[in-house]
Amino acid sequence: MKNAEQTTVFAGLDGRTGGQLPTWYRCETNDPDAVPFAAAVRQLPRATRTQVAYRNPYSEEWVETDRFNAIIEPARAMDQVRDESVDSLFHVPTDSYSIINPTDVYSPLEAVLRETEVDGRSLGEVMFGEIRQYRGGGEVHMDIMFDGLEVQLPGERDPITMGVTSGYDYFGGHAVYVEGFARDNACANSIRALTDRQIVKHVGDIGDFGEWWEGILEGLALVSNDLYAFIEDAQEIDIDFAETPFDVAEFYELIGFPEYLAERAADDALAVSEGFVLDLWVLHSGATHALTHFFRGREGGSLDRYVRAANDLLFNPERTLSVVEQTYREQAEAETVGGQTGIESQVALAQLERVETDIREKADQFEERETALRERFA
């Protein structure tokens, strides 16, 4: 992703918990200056409301209006008095807009984290992650993970650490969101959008964030169980690329990845496989590797679209194979000579149909489990 304007790595809830970064994450971030989560939240820009006016183009006078209010960062507004180049403005919404500052959202989370335990330790002791700021601090995203809350796959490989992605902005979209998240310790791949995104908007009475967080954290252990089951099934579904005329990189392009991401995903998937028979978990891992380490855009937008395509490999493989087959069939038909599909295309379609048959036998099971996973935080 494009670099954030400011990134803060945190470990532990506050000074009393004495949390530390896990070794694998500390090596990945290479940041020796991790701060407690509570301190990091209180360093984030906040917003306040102030009146605005409009300029009458005929009289050159400024006319006050109570129909709109500017949302500004108060500390920068003070700096603006001395330095006119400082920009303190976030947004000018209608009067139905409700300001939600970071402490409104994450202070209630702090209390829940102190009271919730994993293996006899409060989540506040084992939490870690990073906070990323964009657009002058008006847009914030954070990955919150819990050391010890994990998916342990068979064998000697490192586990997958569970957590949530959360964030907010001061602009016209959502105020606050949260969704399931995981980080594969073995390769530092981020697995995003594990659950449906829960959103609180900038409108009306915001309600109790404490109860909101309680429900989300209660569902997180269930999300880890779901993820384990999906990975276990995905490891049993193979695609033999020796029998298809498209290679692994072209497969990723067929599911919607741009060429540069498809090539990176293929390199990672092939590096951990033996030969050209790749299971769906390996293919998903290659996709998340490319998105985590080589995506050139910014959070949101196209990243969300590619994350959905990657996650379908794991959570809805029937849909993935349907997309691949349809896209490949369209390409094959475009190259048809005299109404006859080429032998290579026929072989590829037959191979996809064999894989689809394997998936179709488990389709109902995948669908039921995906529905439950998506609704864990609802």
Side-chain angles (χ1 to χ4, degrees):
M1 291 181 291
K2 288 185 177 177
N3 290 336
E5 294 166 16
Q6 184 173 333
T7 299
T8 303
V9 175
F10 62 85
L13 179 57
D14 53 34
R16 291 175 293 174
T17 61
Q20 295 183 338
L21 293 174
T23 301
W24 67 268
Y25 190 77
R26 185 169 60 249
C27 294
E28 175 66 23
T29 59
N30 195 28
D31 189 333
D33 300 320
V35 299
F37 177 74
V41 167
R42 284 155 180 77
Q43 293 169 6
L44 291 168
R46 58 192 179 92
T48 191
R49 183 179 284 103
T50 186
Q51 289 182 305
V52 298
Y54 65 90
R55 177 176 168 274
N56 186 314
Y58 302 103
S59 67
E60 301 292 325
E61 294 178 348
W62 286 92
V63 182
E64 292 184 0
T65 174
D66 58 5
R67 294 179 59 189
F68 298 88
N69 289 284
I71 305 303
I72 65 169
E73 209 294 319
R76 288 206 287 267
M78 294 175 63
D79 294 339
Q80 202 169 21
V81 175
R82 298 183 297 273
D83 183 355
E84 293 182 356
S85 66
V86 175
D87 183 8
S88 64
L89 179 67
F90 284 135
H91 187 42
V92 183
T94 64
D95 56 8
S96 64
Y97 180 99
S98 298
I99 292 176
I100 304 178
N101 275 309
T103 51
D104 299 331
V105 182
Y106 300 107
S107 290
L109 172 61
E110 294 170 19
V112 177
L113 290 171
R114 290 190 185 95
E115 297 168 0
T116 307
E117 293 187 348
V118 56
D119 295 332
R121 301 176 66 192
S122 78
L123 291 182
E125 294 180 61
V126 299
M127 73 180 309
F128 66 99
E130 72 172 22
I131 301 174
R132 302 175 295 277
Q133 297 184 40
Y134 302 88
R135 302 164 77 183
E139 178 183 346
V140 172
H141 302 275
M142 60 183 74
D143 301 332
I144 304 173
M145 291 167 280
F146 304 100
D147 192 21
L149 183 57
E150 59 194 25
V151 174
Q152 181 64 65
L153 299 177
E156 299 296 323
R157 82 183 306 282
D158 291 335
I160 298 171
T161 298
M162 304 300 300
V164 296
T165 294
S166 182
Y168 62 89
D169 68 41
Y170 292 125
F171 304 100
H174 59 264
V176 181
Y177 78 87
V178 66
E179 61 189 22
F181 172 85
R183 187 86 168 216
D184 190 341
N185 304 12
C187 45
N189 295 346
S190 295
I191 308 175
R192 301 183 177 278
L194 289 178
T195 65
D196 283 343
R197 178 171 289 191
Q198 300 299 307
I199 294 176
V200 177
K201 296 185 177 180
H202 287 287
V203 179
D205 184 14
I206 302 307
D208 185 350
F209 274 111
E211 292 184 2
W212 194 64
W213 282 115
E214 283 179 7
I216 287 167
L217 294 181
E218 284 175 3
L220 196 53
L222 297 175
V223 173
S224 68
N225 294 337
D226 293 335
L227 182 58
Y228 178 90
F230 274 115
I231 293 172
E232 195 173 43
D233 282 349
Q235 289 175 326
E236 297 177 0
I237 302 173
D238 297 326
I239 297 179
D240 186 352
F241 286 93
E243 295 187 19
T244 64
F246 51 79
D247 60 22
V248 181
E250 290 167 334
F251 172 83
Y252 285 113
E253 291 187 60
L254 288 170
I255 69 170
F257 274 31
E259 183 179 358
Y260 83 95
L261 282 178
E263 291 176 352
R264 293 291 191 176
D267 288 345
D268 182 74
L270 288 167
V272 299
S273 63
E274 296 180 4
F276 294 97
V277 178
L278 280 67
D279 65 51
L280 292 184
W281 166 239
V282 168
L283 289 167
H284 175 268
S285 185
T288 57
H289 177 82
L291 293 175
T292 302
H293 302 289
F294 299 103
F295 178 64
R296 297 172 184 168
R298 61 185 301 275
E299 296 185 59
S302 60
L303 176 60
D304 291 345
R305 184 169 69 253
Y306 299 142
V307 166
R308 285 194 296 272
N311 282 352
D312 277 349
L313 284 163
L314 191 59
F315 305 134
N316 199 328
E318 187 177 32
R319 182 160 56 206
T320 293
L321 268 294
S322 177
V323 169
V324 170
E325 182 181 8
Q326 180 180 347
T327 305
Y328 187 83
R329 193 181 294 277
E330 290 171 355
Q331 293 179 359
E333 289 174 354
E335 298 171 359
T336 294
V337 178
Q340 182 67 38
T341 302
I343 295 298
E344 284 191 345
S345 298
Q346 293 178 37
V347 171
L349 292 170
Q351 163 72 355
L352 291 174
E353 287 174 4
R354 283 196 294 274
V355 177
E356 280 188 306
T357 300
D358 293 340
I359 293 173
R360 206 170 290 120
E361 293 176 358
K362 300 181 178 181
D364 290 343
Q365 180 180 340
F366 271 93
E367 290 176 6
E368 291 173 7
R369 193 188 299 140
E370 185 191 21
T371 299
L373 172 64
R374 293 298 175 196
E375 296 175 350
R376 288 301 187 198
F377 293 169

